[in-house]
Amino acid sequence: MEVETGQEVVDLVKRGNIDAIQAVRQAGRDIGEVLTACVSLINPSVIAIGGSMAQAGEHLIAGVREVVYARSMPLSTEHLSIVQSSAGANAAVIGASMLAIHHALSPESIDMMTH
């Protein structure tokens, strides 16, 4: 079956398409590979998975959890929660907005405006 957008993949997952579920689970594992390094370096207490693919629900997050919990140090994951972001498909826009706000209100930017 040919799909062209992430939303089409999400729709297939919601309808129970096995190929789509397996693809999303593998995408979660791939994301988990990257996050494993982040967990080791930053030791976060929460990882929130957002964006349009997060609409696929537990299938994506299960893949992430599978790799992160298996490959990270137990001390790093003891209190770690990997959850779906409440921002959903708006996660990228909210993140970009926060970066712009932090830049605009940084001490350096404020100093430049007052001089």
Side-chain angles (χ1 to χ4, degrees), residues 73-95:
M73 297 294 292
L75 189 58
S76 297
T77 58
E78 184 177 359
H79 300 290
L80 175 64
S81 297
I82 301 173
V83 299
Q84 184 171 352
S85 169
S86 60
N90 295 324
V93 172
I94 293 169

Side-chain angles (χ1 to χ4, degrees), residues 22-101:
Q22 289 175 339
V24 168
R25 180 72 61 107
Q26 184 57 49
R29 288 185 196 104
D30 294 342
I31 293 167
E33 292 285 343
V34 175
L35 290 176
T36 297
C38 297
V39 166
S40 296
L41 293 171
I42 302 169
N43 196 19
S45 58
V46 176
I47 295 174
I49 306 292
S52 58
M53 287 309 295
Q55 295 174 27
E58 282 299 312
H59 298 292
L60 181 73
I61 293 171
V64 172
R65 287 177 180 146
E66 178 184 330
V67 172
V68 170
Y69 289 132
R71 298 198 178 158
S72 298
M73 297 294 292
L75 189 58
S76 297
T77 58
E78 184 177 359
H79 300 290
L80 175 64
S81 297
I82 301 173
V83 299
Q84 184 171 352
S85 169
S86 60
N90 295 324
V93 172
I94 293 169
S97 300
M98 292 301 295
L99 285 173
I101 289 168

